[in-house]
Amino acid sequence: MLHSGDDPVIATLGRQLRLGVVGGAPGAMIAPMHRRASVLDGRFAIVAGVLSSDPARSVAAGIEIGLAPDRAYGSVAHMVDAETSRADGIDAVAIMTPNDSHYAIAAAATDRNLDVIIDKPLVNLAAEATELLHRVRRAGTVLCVTHPYSAYPMIREARALIEAGALGEIRAIEVRYLAGGLAAPIDGTAEGKRRWRLDPARSGPSLVLGDLGTHAHHLAAFVLNAPVSAVRAELATLVRGRRVHDYAELALRFASGARGRVGLCQAAPGQPNNLSLSVIGERASLEWRHDRHAELSLLPLADPPQRLLAGAPYLSPAARAASRLARTGHPDGMLEAFANLYSEAALAIAARRAGKPPDQDALFPTVLDGARGIWFIQAAIASDRSEHRWEPCPADA
Amino acid sequence: MLHSGDDPVIATLGRQLRLGVVGGAPGAMIAPMHRRASVLDGRFAIVAGVLSSDPARSVAAGIEIGLAPDRAYGSVAHMVDAETSRADGIDAVAIMTPNDSHYAIAAAATDRNLDVIIDKPLVNLAAEATELLHRVRRAGTVLCVTHPYSAYPMIREARALIEAGALGEIRAIEVRYLAGGLAAPIDGTAEGKRRWRLDPARSGPSLVLGDLGTHAHHLAAFVLNAPVSAVRAELATLVRGRRVHDYAELALRFASGARGRVGLCQAAPGQPNNLSLSVIGERASLEWRHDRHAELSLLPLADPPQRLLAGAPYLSPAARAASRLARTGHPDGMLEAFANLYSEAALAIAARRAGKPPDQDALFPTVLDGARGIWFIQAAIASDRSEHRWEPCPADA
Amino acid sequence: MLHSGDDPVIATLGRQLRLGVVGGAPGAMIAPMHRRASVLDGRFAIVAGVLSSDPARSVAAGIEIGLAPDRAYGSVAHMVDAETSRADGIDAVAIMTPNDSHYAIAAAATDRNLDVIIDKPLVNLAAEATELLHRVRRAGTVLCVTHPYSAYPMIREARALIEAGALGEIRAIEVRYLAGGLAAPIDGTAEGKRRWRLDPARSGPSLVLGDLGTHAHHLAAFVLNAPVSAVRAELATLVRGRRVHDYAELALRFASGARGRVGLCQAAPGQPNNLSLSVIGERASLEWRHDRHAELSLLPLADPPQRLLAGAPYLSPAARAASRLARTGHPDGMLEAFANLYSEAALAIAARRAGKPPDQDALFPTVLDGARGIWFIQAAIASDRSEHRWEPCPADA
Amino acid sequence: MLHSGDDPVIATLGRQLRLGVVGGAPGAMIAPMHRRASVLDGRFAIVAGVLSSDPARSVAAGIEIGLAPDRAYGSVAHMVDAETSRADGIDAVAIMTPNDSHYAIAAAATDRNLDVIIDKPLVNLAAEATELLHRVRRAGTVLCVTHPYSAYPMIREARALIEAGALGEIRAIEVRYLAGGLAAPIDGTAEGKRRWRLDPARSGPSLVLGDLGTHAHHLAAFVLNAPVSAVRAELATLVRGRRVHDYAELALRFASGARGRVGLCQAAPGQPNNLSLSVIGERASLEWRHDRHAELSLLPLADPPQRLLAGAPYLSPAARAASRLARTGHPDGMLEAFANLYSEAALAIAARRAGKPPDQDALFPTVLDGARGIWFIQAAIASDRSEHRWEPCPADA
């Protein structure tokens, strides 16, 4: 979108930031989300990348997504070397590779003074985490882990309400995360073997904790603005023959004395990332659930429950800042619905420019659809003025 | 995001489409949605624009959002002339201006062989609609009206189910659209005077029909894949002193004999674009509501109701094609949550690159947050192995 | 339940009221609801009845439901004569017969100074309505029409909020009622012929208006505490071959200038009495839906929406008086869940008293279930005291 | 309601069962629910009672609720003696007293061959549970513990689906119960001292387990039709100064290997008995929540989620048998709404019979309301026949 006129990144640097991506060969799942998200506000431009661990595939895929051929690299080492040598080299690296490669890539970028955005979990092992923390502190760079739940407007509001004392002292917090992605017993199959998550050597010491647990852990700590001080856990594998954990039950303790409980499962059929949060305070409770992420319920001791809505004027500045559509009152999906229309129109335009026949099944509203709407208005006004009689609506001119 | 590797637009043309935007000076409401949406899939690049009807403001605002100075134009006529003379000129124009300017801009672009994406309503007057339809047909160009509701995955699914006969013959359709944007009686105030919607000379012959009615009309016709053949209407103004309609009640008839009813109100306090759709068929009903846009309820005569979910494998190809996160099972808002993290990291990176102190209140997860998550996993595994005893979680290294 | 200790009916009269029922032979649908409802608060005792228009069946059915043989009558005339001659005769008649018999029964009871509770619609014809109104006024008796929607706690709250000015001036009200009871095209079948509703001679001049329309009409007028002053209507039959209306669309006008719209359909597959209400006021909106009848959403112009809950202490006295479980915070269904346990225990007790073997499939919790719960508590306490170790739970003693 | 014509209790015994109640002096909370529930299906008649532990208050309160003076007893011992000596003595005792009295009352009734219905928890101590189990087995009597959650239609459906194998092997079950009844820190206050629950000597060794835990324990065991075999627990008191537990977190194990987790809290502000259930099976998941108790979500591995509704024809026989309104499609609360109308009409009738002036604020629909509905139908039909013109609606005759 280029950028908005008063963007502080542009105001500070006089330019967009330049991003190199690691991971995301065609077919990857989470990488398109990272790429779309990185450009949504016009603060980053993707200019370089390593899209595969296979050098030849990596270069080809980089060119395929539109990178300049000389910036589609075959390895992270090469990208870091080349980019840090250019005047217009990348500022930051976005890492969206399997877990077991996180540490080496993040360390390499950090050591060369590049900032890092990285998918969770940060790394696989505790020693790597400690070491990476030291490296980032030494380098003074920025490192952002993409725990997106903490960036929903109403999770920001939950934190702001708690910080402002709206709940009084916090007594307990509860996070549930039921997902169905690993419910089918595919472990021994060819498909199962293709999924690195099911291989403990790649996905880390406890899959359910790396996949869901770090999200739940960060969410609880974020909302309470306090680190978890102790944990009690039971870990399990529900699907027979599976080599990784897919179920966990955790008790948390915070320094304040607040208690937490976390229930996780990746093998719950039909559950589409069913994450939910409850906070129990002295004076009020909060309830939030992922599939209604634009709502936050505030339950006071004696007054009526409130259903706080993303983008509303009564929210905290932090929550409002996290909504792009604050003034329109539309749900988040509206942006993607608009994008569907643009992308479908783009297909039609490209076909026309290439002299190809239009797609007869295209679904975007055409000039005829638009004209019908205006003729409909004219007919409705005529009906209103004639004691509400039926008026015909033209279907074409 | 550049683009995905196998994008058909790129495959067809060998490049992204070039877009000129009209409207969207800083402070505009819907324009940032258009701009973000246009680039989301990497099919368009915004390269030119006219951001204001005031030439000087227009050029300044164009540069401010990142256009090259020579492509930030002072008028539509100038942009159309200049761009159609360039080898790398724009392919299409996106129009997001007040209603009364739509016709002239769309006609000017069309007449110069430019494709058009335009906010609803297409134009203000029926005669303009007819004329524009003729012009587009003569030119053979593409024109897309942004009725985004028809681009939600589950509205696509509703249409596909009806087309496939899952409901049998359609008996009736109902669209309700209650919004609160004009509930406050601001008409006589300074703010009211700033809002062009409240001026009938600018917003057209019936505001509620132009704003909400064309959406409802298109949604009903889209879902049934049939034009509305007749209308009966009652139009009203609920807020005293208002010069435009803010309430309408409409009966529809389709050629098939299906009936429709539409209830609209722009003056309903607290209603955040509360749009809903019901379809009554011979063998099943459908229910959809905007604030749960990723769900569609299918109610058969005798079998259990189904709650169809966006992105699911059992949906029609058309519905699946309209979801970007199909395989992840996440809600639409996830993209914006990710984008929040990227944008907040960008702020921190820009500050660092400019030698400024970091924002102490930044909310994105840092390397320390990431490391705490990994140490937490280590502690949880230790607890699980020691009969579920409490284990401390380090807060720092 | 006998009655509660401080019941004002008992306090006033020193006894329960005596009720005669008309209608409700075994197999009837709505009659058991009337009978259960009449005794729920211990204010009425059912002591007489006419259960069928066939005299012999009527007497047999009356005895079968437990009436004294001499008070199971063969006709309404007989019941009215006999009961008004007894010192302990009935005070009131509850009428739950097909619509076309309402007028004669209500008139007969009223003319003999009996009070009347009667299912809607009051009668079939406008002239009958006028005449019955005159008779009731002359007699000075009580007549209650069972429009139950107006007796839900949160509908009472809606009325109280409007009366207290919480919404400011009322601009519009909307009632939708979609039901699936007549969605299947059974009209020509044997089952269709058995249903008196499908016979216009019995169900009145417009089925959808008598069945759903009188409910919607009363609900709108009740909530606004104002009569409907004018109506505009379109009536239709969606199911082919049907002889009665099953679809209606109505516009209302109130003396205050408030507008109303009502959408009705009895032929919407899968819709289980989907009734909903929206009120648009100057300062706030209200939303209520039947399948969440214990909630009322209050949407102010600018403050957060409130979700008001039945039984809560912040409600109006009228709403609180309409909830039996106010202090327990349980949903309405709890009463029936309790009743299921009592009724299942009754079956077991009756079997035992009759020397029959117990039902092995009985589902109510037994002494063993209860004991397991207590042993479970003991085990849980032991676990808590031993660093949260696993403790076995006995399954039997 | 007397009883329905083909009631099997009446068919078996030739009469209703006679019930003696223990507990429920005016002001009691749960006792009116027991009394209403016991008579709802006409299988029990309440004929005797001990309403208070104070003999004089007990007799007075018994007479006040309508018991014959000679059957309003001063003590349980007296009631048991007297009733077992009468030819028409009670069959069963319903116990709704504080927990610490349960054992003695239940044992006394059982030993005299009386059947027992008793509020949970069965007793306070594990040894009492064992002893009572032995006594009931020796006597051969019926004892029913009122865990009402297991009697909701959709909980019955959950059990039936699991039993029928619809979920495949069960992997895990989760029960959450958050309640707000003890959220306010009233422990040291006069009100707190009046509440026996807050006194561990009366409410048993762990309040949260006795109050919520036994419900959750029974619900999980009921749905899986299997006893809990082991438990791991952490118990806590969230409200400072409180002498009883108000928070618990439990892990369960079943003999099949299925896991369970249970989260309980009685001190969550604003939570109105927020009980929910999730079941994770091999082939499908189930979701149920108390405030939507008439719905059960069935989530298959790959097919669309189903929203099963109480009373629907596609449910199991057990679920259908638990709904009284199966054929009407109305929610449970409808019964109480009907009862509100009957009870309000009763007040008006009693006033009239006593020669008192009518209550001007009575809210039930009168003959005038009913007549307006009929005149409204007439006007609507006239409008429909005159091209949908406005027609006036009379407000009175």
Side-chain angles (χ1 to χ4, degrees):
Chain A
M1 68 167 298
L2 302 185
H3 42 72
S4 72
D6 49 359
D7 187 87
V9 166
I10 312 300
T12 299
L13 282 191
R15 61 170 176 89
Q16 289 178 305
L17 290 165
R18 294 181 289 261
L19 187 67
V21 293
V22 185
M29 186 177 76
I30 201 75
M33 174 115 80
H34 276 272
R35 296 208 302 262
R36 284 193 179 92
S38 68
V39 302
L40 197 66
D41 293 328
R43 292 182 174 175
F44 286 103
I46 300 173
V47 298
V50 181
L51 275 83
S52 168
S53 53
D54 175 274
R57 279 193 69 210
S58 177
V59 171
I63 292 169
E64 213 177 330
I65 69 163
L67 295 176
D70 64 324
R71 299 179 90 173
Y73 297 96
S75 73
V76 172
H78 188 191
M79 177 171 79
V80 168
D81 278 347
E83 291 288 325
T84 53
S85 309
R86 295 175 68 120
D88 65 348
I90 56 175
D91 299 291
V93 170
I95 302 170
M96 49 202 91
T97 56
N99 299 352
D100 58 328
S101 62
H102 281 194
Y103 174 71
I105 302 169
T110 298
D111 290 353
R112 297 296 284 269
N113 198 38
L114 293 171
D115 300 293
V116 170
I117 292 115
I118 185 166
D119 213 90
K120 62 84 231 176
L122 181 68
V123 292
N124 261 350
L125 303 176
E128 294 171 343
T130 304
E131 177 58 25
L132 185 57
L133 172 65
H134 291 322
R135 282 176 191 251
V136 170
R137 284 182 168 165
R138 274 199 303 268
T141 51
V142 171
L143 186 147
C144 168
V145 187
T146 52
H147 286 303
Y149 306 110
S150 67
Y152 279 116
M154 302 318 286
I155 292 297
R156 298 279 169 93
E157 180 69 11
R159 176 175 160 126
L161 285 168
I162 289 170
E163 194 131 26
L167 278 72
E169 191 187 353
I170 300 305
R171 292 173 175 165
I173 187 167
E174 189 176 302
V175 181
R176 288 171 78 229
Y177 199 149
L178 304 185
L182 297 178
I186 56 163
D187 300 67
T189 68
E191 189 197 340
K193 280 167 191 160
R194 273 197 304 275
R195 293 172 81 161
W196 61 261
R197 277 187 157 67
L198 296 174
D199 176 0
R202 306 205 65 193
S203 60
S206 179
L207 178 66
V208 75
L209 293 181
D211 260 18
L212 309 186
T214 52
H215 280 314
H217 167 263
H218 182 257
L219 182 59
F222 179 83
V223 163
L224 299 192
N225 196 10
V228 173
S229 60
V231 64
R232 204 160 46 70
E234 180 164 351
L235 308 175
T237 300
L238 297 188
V239 174
R240 264 194 288 270
R242 178 158 287 171
R243 295 183 298 149
V244 294
H245 293 142
D246 55 18
Y247 180 90
E249 186 197 328
L250 306 160
L252 311 182
R253 202 62 62 87
F254 295 84
S256 68
R259 291 158 184 278
R261 50 191 176 208
V262 174
L264 309 174
C265 183
Q266 291 181 280
Q271 292 280 16
N273 288 290
N274 182 351
L275 169 68
S276 65
L277 171 75
S278 293
V279 187
I280 300 171
E282 191 186 0
R283 286 201 293 273
S285 298
L286 291 176
E287 290 271 343
W288 177 88
R289 45 187 285 194
H290 195 199
D291 66 346
R292 309 277 185 260
H293 63 80
E295 307 174 14
L296 177 69
S297 293
L298 173 66
L299 313 171
L301 258 182
D303 291 325
Q306 295 184 349
R307 185 169 161 258
L308 308 174
L309 299 178
Y314 45 74
L315 298 182
S316 64
R320 286 178 61 71
S323 283
R324 282 168 191 75
L325 301 177
R327 283 182 303 156
T328 68
H330 286 105
D332 284 308
M334 178 64 81
L335 174 62
E336 294 198 37
F338 258 90
N340 284 345
L341 295 181
Y342 268 95
S343 289
E344 291 162 12
L347 276 181
I349 294 169
R352 183 174 91 87
R353 299 271 161 192
K356 297 196 177 170
D359 176 3
Q360 299 300 334
D361 296 331
L363 294 172
F364 66 84
T366 65
V367 66
L368 179 59
D369 293 309
R372 284 175 179 169
I374 307 308
W375 301 329
F376 172 77
I377 291 178
Q378 187 183 41
I381 292 170
S383 169
D384 181 57
R385 289 185 179 155
S386 64
E387 288 192 65
H388 321 299
R389 290 218 184 85
W390 284 102
E391 289 284 338
C393 297
D396 207 332
Chain B
M1 66 166 300
L2 302 185
H3 42 73
S4 72
D6 49 0
D7 187 87
V9 166
I10 311 300
T12 300
L13 282 192
R15 60 168 176 88
Q16 289 178 306
L17 291 165
R18 295 183 287 262
L19 187 67
V21 295
V22 185
M29 186 177 76
I30 201 75
M33 173 116 79
H34 277 273
R35 296 208 301 263
R36 282 193 180 92
S38 68
V39 303
L40 197 66
D41 293 328
R43 293 182 173 175
F44 286 104
I46 301 173
V47 299
V50 180
L51 276 83
S52 167
S53 53
D54 175 274
R57 278 191 70 210
S58 177
V59 172
I63 292 169
E64 213 177 331
I65 68 163
L67 296 175
D70 64 324
R71 298 178 91 172
Y73 298 96
S75 73
V76 172
H78 188 190
M79 178 172 78
V80 169
D81 279 347
E83 290 289 326
T84 52
S85 310
R86 295 176 70 121
D88 66 346
I90 55 176
D91 299 291
V93 169
I95 302 171
M96 49 203 90
T97 57
N99 300 352
D100 57 331
S101 62
H102 281 194
Y103 174 71
I105 301 169
T110 298
D111 291 352
R112 297 295 284 270
N113 198 36
L114 294 171
D115 300 293
V116 169
I117 292 115
I118 185 166
D119 213 271
K120 60 83 235 177
L122 180 70
V123 292
N124 262 352
L125 303 177
E128 294 171 344
T130 304
E131 176 58 25
L132 185 56
L133 173 64
H134 290 324
R135 283 177 190 253
V136 170
R137 284 181 169 166
R138 274 198 303 269
T141 51
V142 171
L143 186 148
C144 169
V145 188
T146 52
H147 286 303
Y149 305 112
S150 66
Y152 278 117
M154 301 319 285
I155 293 298
R156 298 278 169 96
E157 181 68 11
R159 176 176 160 124
L161 285 169
I162 290 169
E163 195 131 25
L167 278 71
E169 191 188 354
I170 300 305
R171 292 171 173 167
I173 187 167
E174 189 176 303
V175 180
R176 289 171 76 228
Y177 199 149
L178 304 184
L182 297 178
I186 57 161
D187 301 67
T189 68
E191 189 197 340
K193 281 168 191 162
R194 271 196 306 274
R195 292 172 82 162
W196 60 262
R197 277 188 156 66
L198 296 173
D199 176 0
R202 306 207 64 194
S203 60
S206 179
L207 178 65
V208 76
L209 292 181
D211 260 19
L212 309 186
T214 53
H215 279 315
H217 168 263
H218 182 257
L219 182 59
F222 179 84
V223 164
L224 299 192
N225 196 12
V228 173
S229 59
V231 64
R232 204 159 47 68
E234 179 164 352
L235 308 174
T237 301
L238 297 187
V239 174
R240 264 194 288 270
R242 178 158 287 171
R243 295 183 299 149
V244 294
H245 293 143
D246 55 16
Y247 180 91
E249 186 196 329
L250 306 160
L252 311 182
R253 201 62 60 88
F254 294 84
S256 68
R259 290 157 184 280
R261 49 191 177 210
V262 173
L264 310 173
C265 182
Q266 289 182 282
Q271 293 280 17
N273 289 289
N274 183 352
L275 169 67
S276 65
L277 171 75
S278 292
V279 186
I280 300 171
E282 191 186 359
R283 287 202 291 273
S285 298
L286 291 176
E287 292 270 344
W288 177 88
R289 45 186 286 193
H290 195 197
D291 68 346
R292 309 277 185 261
H293 62 79
E295 307 173 15
L296 177 69
S297 293
L298 174 67
L299 313 171
L301 258 182
D303 289 326
Q306 295 184 350
R307 185 169 160 258
L308 308 174
L309 298 178
Y314 45 74
L315 299 181
S316 64
R320 285 179 61 73
S323 283
R324 282 168 191 75
L325 302 177
R327 284 181 302 156
T328 69
H330 286 105
D332 285 308
M334 177 64 80
L335 175 62
E336 294 198 36
F338 258 91
N340 284 344
L341 295 181
Y342 269 93
S343 289
E344 291 162 12
L347 276 180
I349 294 169
R352 183 175 92 87
R353 299 271 162 192
K356 296 195 176 171
D359 177 2
Q360 299 299 334
D361 295 330
L363 294 172
F364 67 84
T366 65
V367 65
L368 179 58
D369 293 309
R372 283 174 178 168
I374 308 307
W375 303 329
F376 171 77
I377 290 178
Q378 187 183 44
I381 292 171
S383 170
D384 181 58
R385 290 184 179 156
S386 66
E387 288 192 64
H388 321 298
R389 289 218 185 84
W390 285 102
E391 289 284 338
C393 297
D396 207 334
Chain C
M1 67 164 299
L2 302 185
H3 42 72
S4 72
D6 49 0
D7 187 87
V9 165
I10 311 301
T12 300
L13 282 191
R15 60 170 176 89
Q16 289 178 305
L17 290 165
R18 292 181 291 260
L19 187 67
V21 294
V22 185
M29 186 177 75
I30 201 73
M33 173 116 80
H34 276 273
R35 297 208 301 262
R36 284 192 179 92
S38 69
V39 302
L40 197 66
D41 293 327
R43 292 181 173 176
F44 285 104
I46 300 172
V47 299
V50 180
L51 275 84
S52 167
S53 53
D54 175 272
R57 279 192 69 211
S58 176
V59 172
I63 292 169
E64 213 177 331
I65 69 162
L67 296 175
D70 63 325
R71 298 179 91 171
Y73 298 97
S75 73
V76 172
H78 188 190
M79 178 172 78
V80 170
D81 278 347
E83 289 291 324
T84 53
S85 310
R86 295 175 69 121
D88 65 348
I90 56 175
D91 298 290
V93 169
I95 302 171
M96 50 204 88
T97 57
N99 299 353
D100 59 330
S101 63
H102 281 194
Y103 174 71
I105 302 170
T110 298
D111 291 352
R112 298 295 285 271
N113 198 35
L114 293 171
D115 300 293
V116 169
I117 292 115
I118 185 167
D119 213 89
K120 61 85 234 180
L122 180 69
V123 292
N124 262 351
L125 303 176
E128 293 171 345
T130 305
E131 176 58 25
L132 184 58
L133 173 64
H134 291 322
R135 283 177 190 252
V136 170
R137 285 182 168 165
R138 275 199 301 269
T141 51
V142 171
L143 185 148
C144 169
V145 187
T146 52
H147 286 304
Y149 306 112
S150 67
Y152 278 118
M154 301 319 285
I155 293 297
R156 298 279 169 94
E157 181 67 11
R159 176 176 159 125
L161 285 168
I162 290 169
E163 194 132 26
L167 277 71
E169 191 187 353
I170 300 305
R171 292 172 174 167
I173 187 168
E174 188 176 302
V175 180
R176 287 171 78 229
Y177 198 148
L178 304 185
L182 297 178
I186 57 163
D187 301 67
T189 68
E191 189 196 338
K193 282 167 189 161
R194 272 197 306 275
R195 292 172 82 162
W196 60 263
R197 278 187 155 68
L198 296 173
D199 176 0
R202 304 206 66 193
S203 60
S206 180
L207 177 66
V208 76
L209 293 180
D211 259 19
L212 309 186
T214 52
H215 280 315
H217 168 264
H218 183 257
L219 182 59
F222 179 83
V223 164
L224 300 193
N225 197 10
V228 173
S229 60
V231 64
R232 202 159 50 68
E234 178 165 350
L235 309 175
T237 301
L238 298 187
V239 175
R240 266 194 287 271
R242 179 158 286 171
R243 295 183 298 149
V244 294
H245 293 142
D246 54 18
Y247 181 90
E249 186 197 328
L250 307 160
L252 311 182
R253 202 60 63 88
F254 294 84
S256 67
R259 289 157 186 279
R261 51 190 176 210
V262 173
L264 310 173
C265 182
Q266 290 181 283
Q271 293 280 18
N273 289 290
N274 182 352
L275 170 68
S276 65
L277 171 75
S278 292
V279 186
I280 300 171
E282 190 187 1
R283 286 202 293 273
S285 298
L286 291 176
E287 291 270 344
W288 178 89
R289 46 187 285 194
H290 195 197
D291 67 346
R292 309 277 186 260
H293 63 79
E295 308 174 15
L296 178 69
S297 293
L298 174 66
L299 312 171
L301 258 182
D303 290 326
Q306 295 183 351
R307 185 169 161 258
L308 308 175
L309 299 177
Y314 45 73
L315 299 181
S316 64
R320 286 179 61 72
S323 283
R324 281 168 191 76
L325 301 177
R327 283 182 301 156
T328 69
H330 286 104
D332 284 309
M334 179 63 83
L335 174 62
E336 294 197 38
F338 258 90
N340 284 345
L341 296 180
Y342 268 94
S343 288
E344 291 162 11
L347 277 180
I349 294 169
R352 183 175 91 88
R353 299 271 161 192
K356 296 195 175 171
D359 176 3
Q360 298 299 335
D361 296 330
L363 294 173
F364 66 85
T366 65
V367 66
L368 179 58
D369 293 308
R372 284 175 178 168
I374 307 308
W375 302 329
F376 172 77
I377 291 178
Q378 188 184 41
I381 293 171
S383 170
D384 181 58
R385 289 185 180 154
S386 65
E387 289 192 63
H388 321 297
R389 289 218 186 83
W390 284 102
E391 289 283 337
C393 298
D396 206 334
Chain D
M1 67 168 299
L2 302 185
H3 42 72
S4 71
D6 49 0
D7 188 87
V9 166
I10 310 301
T12 300
L13 283 192
R15 62 168 175 90
Q16 290 178 304
L17 290 165
R18 293 181 289 261
L19 187 67
V21 294
V22 185
M29 186 178 76
I30 201 74
M33 172 114 81
H34 277 273
R35 296 208 301 261
R36 282 192 180 94
S38 69
V39 303
L40 197 66
D41 293 328
R43 292 182 172 175
F44 285 104
I46 301 172
V47 299
V50 181
L51 276 83
S52 167
S53 54
D54 174 274
R57 279 192 69 211
S58 177
V59 172
I63 293 169
E64 213 177 329
I65 68 163
L67 296 174
D70 65 323
R71 299 178 90 171
Y73 297 96
S75 73
V76 171
H78 187 190
M79 178 172 79
V80 169
D81 279 347
E83 290 290 326
T84 53
S85 308
R86 296 174 68 120
D88 65 349
I90 56 175
D91 299 290
V93 169
I95 303 171
M96 49 202 90
T97 57
N99 299 352
D100 59 328
S101 62
H102 281 193
Y103 174 71
I105 301 168
T110 298
D111 291 352
R112 297 295 284 270
N113 198 36
L114 293 171
D115 300 294
V116 169
I117 292 116
I118 185 166
D119 214 272
K120 61 81 241 182
L122 180 69
V123 293
N124 263 351
L125 303 176
E128 293 171 344
T130 305
E131 177 58 25
L132 185 57
L133 173 64
H134 291 323
R135 283 177 190 251
V136 170
R137 285 181 167 166
R138 274 199 302 270
T141 51
V142 172
L143 186 148
C144 169
V145 187
T146 53
H147 287 302
Y149 306 112
S150 66
Y152 279 117
M154 300 318 286
I155 293 297
R156 297 278 170 95
E157 180 68 11
R159 176 176 161 126
L161 284 169
I162 290 169
E163 196 132 23
L167 278 71
E169 192 188 352
I170 300 304
R171 293 172 174 166
I173 187 167
E174 189 177 301
V175 181
R176 289 171 75 230
Y177 198 149
L178 304 185
L182 296 178
I186 58 163
D187 301 67
T189 68
E191 189 197 339
K193 281 168 189 160
R194 271 196 306 275
R195 291 171 83 161
W196 60 262
R197 275 186 158 67
L198 296 174
D199 176 0
R202 304 206 66 193
S203 60
S206 178
L207 178 65
V208 76
L209 292 181
D211 260 19
L212 309 186
T214 53
H215 280 314
H217 168 263
H218 182 257
L219 182 59
F222 179 83
V223 163
L224 300 192
N225 197 11
V228 173
S229 60
V231 64
R232 203 159 47 70
E234 179 165 351
L235 309 174
T237 301
L238 298 188
V239 175
R240 265 194 288 272
R242 179 157 288 171
R243 295 183 298 149
V244 294
H245 292 142
D246 53 19
Y247 179 91
E249 185 197 327
L250 307 160
L252 311 182
R253 202 62 61 89
F254 294 83
S256 68
R259 290 158 185 279
R261 48 191 177 210
V262 174
L264 310 174
C265 182
Q266 289 181 283
Q271 293 280 18
N273 288 290
N274 183 351
L275 170 68
S276 65
L277 171 75
S278 293
V279 186
I280 299 172
E282 192 186 359
R283 286 201 294 272
S285 296
L286 292 176
E287 291 270 344
W288 177 88
R289 43 186 287 194
H290 195 197
D291 67 345
R292 309 278 186 259
H293 63 79
E295 307 174 14
L296 177 69
S297 293
L298 174 66
L299 312 171
L301 257 182
D303 290 325
Q306 295 184 349
R307 185 168 160 258
L308 308 174
L309 300 177
Y314 45 73
L315 299 181
S316 64
R320 287 180 59 74
S323 283
R324 282 168 190 75
L325 301 177
R327 283 183 301 156
T328 69
H330 286 103
D332 285 308
M334 178 63 81
L335 174 63
E336 294 197 38
F338 257 91
N340 284 345
L341 295 181
Y342 269 94
S343 288
E344 291 163 12
L347 276 180
I349 295 169
R352 183 174 91 87
R353 300 270 160 192
K356 296 195 177 171
D359 177 4
Q360 299 299 335
D361 296 331
L363 293 172
F364 67 85
T366 65
V367 66
L368 179 59
D369 293 308
R372 285 175 177 168
I374 307 308
W375 301 329
F376 171 78
I377 291 178
Q378 187 183 42
I381 292 171
S383 169
D384 181 58
R385 291 183 179 157
S386 64
E387 289 192 62
H388 320 299
R389 290 220 185 82
W390 284 102
E391 289 283 337
C393 298
D396 207 333

